[in-house]
Amino acid sequence: MERPSQAKYPNNRKPKVWESVSTRSNSSRNNLNSTSNWNYAGLSHISLSDQMYSSSTGEIDRIPLDIFMRIVKLLAPKEVAMLTAVCKSWKLIVSDNRLWVSYLQNQHVPWDSILFSEISLRSGYPLQTYPCEMQSFMKIYGERAQAPGAVIIDGGSGYCKFGWSRLDSPSGRSATFLEFGNIESPMYSRLRHFFATIYSRMQVKSSAQPIVVSIPITQYDDTEAAKAARRQLKEAIYAALFGMNVPAVCAVNQATLGLFAANRSSGIVVNIGFHQTSVVPILHGKIMRKVGVESVGIGALKLTGFLREKMMHRNLQFDSLYTVRSLKENLCYVAADYEAELCKDVEGSYEVGGAGWFTLKQERFQTGEILFQPRIAGMRAMGLHQAVALCVDHCHGAELSGDESWFKTIVLAGGTACLPGLAERLEMEVHSLVAPSIADGIRVIPPPYGANSAWYGAKLLSNLSTFPNSWCITKKEFRSKARTSPEFNPSTFREMLATAIVRHEFPFQFTDYEGTRKCFIYLNP
């Protein structure tokens, strides 16, 4: 076949992508071999013209394939995507999944998390029992680049973490919305105040982007009253945010997000919260409340209080609980063998900013031990290992899945769950309590991102290639969904009306769940 003449480019002007290559090649030539992860051994003799499709790019056809791929890797992903329009052979080559995997591996999100989320979470909730069919990584990269991102608010039990999904970590903290403002105020008005405060601190308009909110683990039971309470809280969150013109809302349970952060969609989450610890079984992203959510009345606050008492008994002077909490986070740990640890010299010191140096002895491991032996702190409750073993037994007995491995991954969550040695001790204790046939394969995973695990789980969702369509609900969809609800929840209307009265927001407009009939209320002077 006759090759096209070089007059293809008038006035010897090359395409802009090749101008970009020439400007980058000089600075990258020395690092070319080290930055290339490609293995095209044996392909150096193959030129582009030998590919499946013949091209019409003149002398460029004679470039060996391995050299061509090295040139391509010097380009930005957007420029590489432009090459697909040159000819069929180039489109075939630059669409290679390995190339786009290398681009995804350079993202600010770990590659294994990207792969997990795009396989298991892209379809939205409820999760598919079987992983989604993998799309072209080139397409996934493009869709992730166009995803709008989101504001993330992790409403923890002790304090709330908030920030922009494109950032590596939360940008701020505040009191959780369950304890924000006047706790005697209606939930709707508290939520409006809470969300408005967060948006103000972030200096972001509420109408600018979607939002992902984590819902604290509350109302553990599977009773009708507990279901109604959970539904009312979720409705109040949606009503408050849509009342602030947020375009789309994704509200997911905190335990589920902590599990996603560990790249799992099924397992048992042990969330050590501010006031209590929850043991939550989750199958395919859904909390198995019928199996049973175990609750232990020991949380981070109890451990901090126990350490405070121990320090007071030793006449250690401190100004605030902040000092005690800092010592707990930096000096305390969980012993593998409590009795053996009592015979060791474990003295350790730490300097708390503004408060000076402190030295702890046995308090270092006695503080975490109350999770396993609450009686040490004068409490009558089952230990953490007993609650987890009970949950494992319930999951095994429920026979929810033919694959029993789903409940054998136990993921820790919460700041206190970061205590060194906790994961190893819990795994050892659970193995000793359950039957050997069940214990085989059980492992405990420390919090993958520390106290911010739930926030990172929300980050995975908000950076999905299918976000926000797959996980968020819009105002219109919320009304449509509520229309099919068996009953209207008048408490939401009462709370919205009470807020309007306090703020003198009249005339007050309320649109019913059908989204068709509007009610206007005027206040006479």
Side-chain angles (χ1 to χ4, degrees):
M1 185 181 68
E2 210 177 280
R3 293 186 182 277
S5 68
Q6 296 186 1
K8 178 179 177 64
Y9 305 119
N11 301 323
N12 293 324
R13 293 183 60 87
K14 297 181 180 179
K16 289 185 178 180
V17 291
W18 291 111
E19 292 178 8
S20 175
V21 169
S22 62
T23 58
R24 296 186 190 194
S25 59
N26 290 334
S27 61
S28 303
R29 187 177 293 112
N30 294 334
N31 298 326
L32 191 57
N33 292 329
S34 61
T35 58
S36 177
N37 296 323
W38 299 84
N39 182 14
Y40 285 101
L43 297 182
S44 59
H45 64 285
I46 300 178
S47 64
L48 297 182
S49 59
D50 295 325
Q51 298 306 303
M52 182 182 300
Y53 302 102
S54 61
S55 63
S56 55
T57 54
E59 294 301 319
I60 296 178
D61 280 355
R62 301 187 181 186
I63 299 177
L65 179 58
D66 62 333
I67 300 299
F68 178 77
M69 293 308 301
R70 292 189 180 191
I71 295 174
V72 167
K73 290 203 69 177
L74 296 174
L75 298 173
K78 186 176 180 179
E79 295 168 335
V80 173
M82 293 170 59
L83 296 179
T84 60
V86 175
C87 61
K88 291 182 178 180
S89 62
W90 283 28
K91 181 178 181 179
L92 178 67
I93 294 171
V94 301
S95 298
D96 191 300
N97 272 337
R98 291 172 296 177
L99 174 64
W100 294 94
V101 165
S102 70
Y103 287 135
L104 288 169
Q105 288 174 335
N106 292 326
Q107 299 290 297
H108 58 283
V109 179
W111 162 243
D112 56 346
S113 295
I114 293 177
L115 186 62
F116 160 75
S117 61
E118 293 295 345
I119 291 177
S120 302
L121 307 180
R122 64 181 283 116
S123 64
Y125 187 84
L127 302 184
Q128 294 184 2
T129 305
Y130 298 98
C132 302
E133 181 180 350
M134 180 52 65
Q135 304 292 317
S136 160
F137 281 105
M138 180 179 175
K139 180 180 179 182
I140 288 175
Y141 185 96
E143 291 174 343
R144 289 179 68 90
Q146 295 175 6
V151 170
I152 299 176
I153 300 180
D154 173 20
S157 57
Y159 51 85
C160 160
K161 283 83 69 178
F162 59 86
W164 175 241
S165 64
R166 298 298 188 189
L167 301 180
D168 292 333
S169 60
S171 57
R173 296 181 179 183
S174 76
T176 175
F177 61 73
L178 294 181
E179 298 179 1
F180 191 87
N182 184 0
I183 62 174
E184 295 182 358
S185 300
M187 177 59 74
Y188 174 81
S189 61
R190 287 164 55 194
L191 287 171
R192 280 290 296 261
H193 182 202
F194 170 77
F195 290 127
T197 301
I198 297 299
Y199 278 113
S200 175
R201 292 183 182 179
M202 293 184 64
Q203 299 182 344
V204 174
K205 291 183 179 180
S206 59
S207 59
Q209 56 272 128
I211 185 171
V212 180
V213 180
S214 78
I215 303 176
I217 308 168
T218 57
Q219 304 294 335
Y220 307 95
D221 300 333
D222 193 46
T223 62
E224 291 302 319
K227 290 179 181 178
R230 292 193 295 269
R231 183 171 58 248
Q232 183 177 351
L233 173 60
K234 203 167 186 178
E235 286 178 357
I237 291 174
Y238 284 133
L241 289 170
F242 287 135
M244 298 171 64
N245 296 320
V246 175
V249 179
C250 172
V252 185
N253 189 277
Q254 191 177 40
T256 304
L257 292 176
L259 188 64
F260 290 167
N263 299 335
R264 302 289 190 281
S265 58
S266 298
I268 295 177
V269 176
V270 179
N271 185 80
I272 304 180
F274 194 61
H275 296 290
Q276 57 190 351
T277 297
S278 310
V279 183
V280 187
I282 299 174
L283 179 60
H284 302 311
K286 179 179 176 59
I287 296 179
M288 297 288 100
R289 298 187 187 274
K290 292 185 180 298
V291 173
V293 176
E294 304 298 332
S295 177
V296 181
I298 304 175
L301 188 61
K302 191 67 178 179
L303 270 69
T304 303
F306 179 80
L307 178 57
R308 173 178 174 272
E309 293 177 2
K310 287 290 185 179
M311 292 175 63
M312 292 176 63
H313 289 163
R314 289 187 52 206
N315 294 322
L316 295 177
Q317 303 297 322
F318 53 90
D319 296 330
S320 66
L321 279 179
Y322 169 78
T323 300
V324 181
R325 190 179 68 188
S326 297
L327 293 173
K328 180 189 72 173
E329 294 173 352
N330 292 279
L331 283 181
C332 292
Y333 64 95
V334 175
D337 187 332
Y338 177 70
E339 297 299 331
E341 207 75 9
L342 289 170
C343 303
K344 298 179 181 179
D345 180 11
V346 295
E347 184 176 292
S349 299
Y350 179 76
E351 183 180 16
V352 179
W357 283 91
F358 291 85
T359 300
L360 299 182
K361 298 181 180 179
Q362 292 184 344
E363 303 89 358
R364 296 185 63 196
F365 62 88
Q366 287 175 332
T367 300
E369 189 63 25
I370 69 174
L371 289 170
F372 297 91
Q373 300 188 59
R375 59 180 178 78
I376 295 178
M379 299 180 60
R380 298 184 61 183
M382 63 178 170
L384 177 61
H385 57 304
Q386 296 168 326
V388 173
L390 185 61
C391 183
V392 169
D393 282 335
H394 287 166
C395 292
H396 174 71
E399 298 181 350
L400 298 177
S401 173
D403 181 11
E404 290 192 347
S405 64
W406 74 269
F407 59 80
K408 293 189 176 183
T409 298
I410 301 170
V411 179
L412 300 181
T416 301
C418 298
L419 285 174
L422 177 58
E424 295 79 5
R425 170 72 178 278
L426 181 59
E427 182 174 314
M428 179 184 66
E429 296 285 0
V430 171
H431 273 259
S432 67
L433 289 177
V434 301
S437 58
I438 303 176
D440 184 35
I442 290 180
R443 63 192 187 105
V444 179
I445 301 176
Y449 294 96
N452 298 328
S453 291
W455 192 90
Y456 275 93
K459 177 183 171 77
L460 282 186
L461 294 183
S462 57
N463 288 332
L464 272 172
S465 59
T466 55
F467 188 86
N469 297 334
S470 58
W471 280 91
C472 288
I473 183 172
T474 64
K475 188 174 185 177
K476 181 178 180 180
E477 291 169 341
F478 172 60
R479 288 174 174 170
S480 176
K481 184 177 181 180
R483 183 173 64 242
T484 62
S485 180
E487 74 269 347
F488 167 72
N489 186 359
S491 63
T492 301
F493 171 78
R494 288 196 298 268
E495 292 181 3
M496 294 174 68
L497 178 59
T499 302
I501 293 174
V502 171
R503 298 182 179 180
H504 299 283
E505 296 176 346
F506 289 95
F508 169 69
Q509 174 183 323
F510 177 78
T511 306
D512 67 3
Y513 283 132
E514 295 183 1
T516 54
R517 297 187 297 272
K518 294 183 178 180
C519 169
F520 292 91
I521 300 177
Y522 295 87
L523 181 65
N524 294 325

